[in-house]
Each structure stands twice: as structure tokens, then as C-alpha cells.
Amino acid sequence: MSREIFSVSKAKLPQYDYDTVIIGGGPAGYTAGIYTARAGLKTLLVEGAATVSQITITDLIENYPGIPDGINGFDLMQLFKNQALKFGLETLAKDVSAIKNNTSSPVIWNVTVGDKSFKTLSMIAATGAQWRKLGVPGEEELAGKGVSYCATCDGPFYKNKDVVVVGGGDTAIQEALFLTHFAKKVIVVHRRDRLRAAGILQKRAFAEKKIEFAWKANLVEVIGKDFVTGIKIANVQSGKVSIISAEGVFIFVGRIPNTSLVQNVLKLDANGYILTDDNMNTSAAGIFAAGDCRAKLFRQVVTAAGDGANAAFSAELYVGNMKGEAY
């Protein structure tokens, strides 16, 4: 994506508070924070008060390079955060309510956080994504009453009970395997006749005696009054409806990007993801994007971290140009 890069002397810049503000406290955000802080950029990371990174509720991450024995998401993020803080990163646990540009040449961005406002030369959007909901009858009404989007959070409540997992990707199968530590039986409902999950996860799931599969089926209703008692599924070919008795329903059918904050500022794709080039440049001068909120094929911790590093370097170059310090 093309944009005008300003190169001005530091004396001519309007007053500002930070070289860069990072929005989001996941792997992309904290990796960006490590790189910008280490590069000497005055950086504020706003990690949000009402939201948490999806990675913090992941039970086991075993494909992150250098940690062969695996680690849970919360502990991994603490390692990211502690490393960033060591380099002088400032953090704030509040929600960003608005961003806008104060000037046009050069662009100075104004970030509203709670009752405060910060002026910054650049921003990195690392706002992540949230779990997609099915929108079927009973899902919203029974959320927190048997309907869940986090096996790590709620799995222990289902000891010796039957539960359903909806989905066939990595997350769905990994969480189904986790639930076998508690549940008596785990029924995986998937709309296709094969899984999308990584081969090693499929192998484990098929070998697990507690896991059963309902193939070519869509969940069409969650059943229950005060608490989940089962689900209705419909065969994708015949439309035949059947009932599965269960006390818990865990839904993992994709993500929705957390990009409402920038929908009127940046160009997004048809699904709401931020469009960037290979260097994490967005359609707006001085704003970069990284991690699950940007349009890309593969969303993993390691790719989010790579995005964060790239966004940080691009921000460093951009800020250097603005200050007239480009090498």
C-alpha cells in the first residue's frame, strides 16, 4: 500500500506524547512492544480492560519454536510481557474508545483511552479477534449456562458429564482433547466429513476413546431452560434433525476481527480484517497492523509475533522519517 512518508526536522513536529501507541496485548502487540521499546521509541501499549487476548485462555501451545515441551497461553504471554517491560515499554490496562488524526501534514494521531487522550506519531493495531457465534436459537440465552467459547475456562465444570464441541479446526480439536480430562464423553459436531485440524491433532482425537464424531452436521439449536440439556443437529445433505443430550456446548467456528475501532479509518476486507502490505502498512499513514486483526491466511502465535516485529520495524522507519532521523 502506498502512502506519503513525511521527513521533517524534529523541531517542526507538533507536540506529541509517544513515538508509537500499540493497541492490543496479545502476541503481536507485545512483540511489537519488545521491538519498538528496544529500538528506543517511546511506546505505550494499551492492552484493554474489557477484553483479553485469546491466547491467554489456551491450555497448551506446543508448536511455538524453542518451547518443545509446550506452555499454556497465559504463561507464554507473561514471558512476552516481562521481556517488553524490561526494555521500558509502558502499558495501560484500559480500552481505547477512539482514534483520529489531528493534523494532515504530518499526521499526528490522537488516541482516546478512558478519560485521557494521547498524541502519537504512529500506531500499531494489534487488536486480535473474538470467537464467532453461530446465532442459533438458545445460544445467546444459554451463554454461561452451558454454552461456552473457552474450554480452558469452563472445562472443569463438566467433570463426568457429556459435552459437545462444534467445529473441526485446530482450536476445536485441541479443546476437545482438553475436555477429555474432565468430561465423560465429548461429541465433536462438524459440518464436513473430515477435519481441518493439523494431522497430529486429528491422530490424537481419533485415538481418544472419549471422543465421538457427528459428521456432516450443523448445530441448529441449543436446548435447555435454566441450563443446557442438549442440542439439535441437522444433516447437511438430508436436513434430518436429531437430538444429542449434553450438558455443555463449546463452540469453535472461527473468529471475527476486533476492528470496529478502525472501520472508518482503515481499509478492511469483506470480512472486516485490516488490509496491509507485507510490511504491515495499512491504508493510513502512520498506522500499522499485526496479528489476527489483519487479513492473512494463517493465524497462529508465531505468525502474530512475526507480524508484530515487522510492524514495529516499519513504525521505527516511519517515525525516523518524521523526525528527520532516517539513516
Side-chain angles (χ1 to χ4, degrees):
M1 291 187 176
S2 62
R3 68 187 29 71
E4 183 180 0
I5 298 295
F6 297 103
S7 181
V8 297
S9 68
K10 190 171 184 179
K12 294 181 181 179
L13 281 175
Q15 186 176 2
Y16 62 93
D17 302 298
Y18 290 96
D19 292 318
T20 190
V21 170
I22 300 167
I23 306 173
Y30 271 108
T31 300
I34 290 170
Y35 276 77
T36 57
R38 188 172 180 270
L41 272 63
K42 187 179 182 184
T43 306
L44 173 67
L45 184 148
V46 186
E47 53 186 339
T51 58
V52 296
S53 171
Q54 289 182 55
I55 196 62
T56 61
I57 56 176
T58 300
D59 171 61
L60 178 65
I61 300 166
E62 59 179 4
N63 57 355
Y64 194 80
I67 309 179
D69 296 327
I71 187 172
N72 70 61
F74 180 83
D75 288 344
L76 181 60
M77 282 315 307
Q78 285 301 116
L79 294 176
F80 277 53
K81 183 173 184 176
N82 291 340
Q83 188 171 355
L85 293 176
K86 184 181 74 172
F87 292 117
L89 177 72
E90 297 179 38
T91 64
L92 194 59
K94 290 190 176 182
D95 295 318
V96 176
S97 58
I99 59 173
K100 62 180 181 179
N101 58 316
N102 282 357
T103 58
S104 58
S105 181
V107 175
I108 302 294
W109 291 97
N110 196 77
V111 183
T112 303
V113 184
D115 58 355
K116 294 183 178 180
S117 183
F118 302 102
K119 292 181 175 63
T120 181
L121 300 182
S122 65
M123 282 192 300
I124 297 174
T127 50
Q130 58 184 294
W131 296 116
R132 183 182 299 276
K133 296 181 180 180
L134 289 170
V136 300
E139 180 183 12
E140 184 177 350
E141 294 85 346
L142 293 167
K145 300 175 182 178
V147 173
S148 176
Y149 306 87
C150 177
T152 308
C153 307
D154 299 329
F157 296 123
Y158 297 92
K159 190 172 183 179
N160 298 321
K161 297 179 180 180
D162 292 347
V163 300
V164 169
V165 169
V166 183
D170 282 355
T171 300
I173 301 309
Q174 188 170 19
E175 299 297 84
L177 288 164
F178 174 75
L179 286 166
T180 62
H181 297 312
F182 311 100
K184 181 172 62 177
K185 182 169 64 176
V186 179
I187 305 101
V188 175
V189 176
H190 188 42
R191 60 182 178 173
R192 294 188 171 89
D193 58 359
R194 60 190 177 93
L195 301 173
R196 289 188 298 106
I200 189 170
L201 294 175
Q202 293 192 40
K203 184 176 181 181
R204 291 172 184 170
F206 294 141
E208 174 53 61
K209 294 180 180 179
K210 286 188 176 183
I211 295 181
E212 299 177 3
F213 294 88
W215 300 108
K216 295 184 179 180
N218 286 322
L219 188 154
V220 294
E221 183 179 350
V222 180
I223 305 169
K225 185 177 181 182
D226 299 320
F227 206 83
V228 169
T229 57
I231 62 168
K232 289 182 181 179
I233 60 172
N235 183 277
V236 297
Q237 293 175 326
S238 68
K240 181 181 178 181
V241 175
S242 56
I243 295 175
I244 297 175
S245 296
E247 295 179 75
V249 182
F250 293 83
I251 299 173
F252 304 104
V253 291
R255 299 177 174 91
I256 299 173
N258 295 321
T259 55
S260 59
L261 183 68
V262 297
Q263 63 182 355
N264 296 320
V265 179
L266 305 178
K267 288 183 179 179
L268 310 178
D269 72 3
N271 294 311
Y273 290 94
I274 300 170
L275 293 169
T276 72
D277 64 13
D278 290 342
N279 297 317
M280 308 301 131
N281 292 297
T282 70
S283 58
I287 300 183
F288 310 88
D292 286 1
C293 65
R294 83 175 189 93
K296 61 178 182 176
L297 180 63
F298 197 42
R299 294 183 173 85
Q300 294 280 288
V301 180
V302 69
T303 62
D307 286 356
N310 277 321
F313 186 64
S314 292
E316 181 186 353
L317 294 178
Y318 178 84
V319 170
N321 273 313
M322 288 193 75
K323 294 180 177 181
E325 298 173 352
Y327 181 72

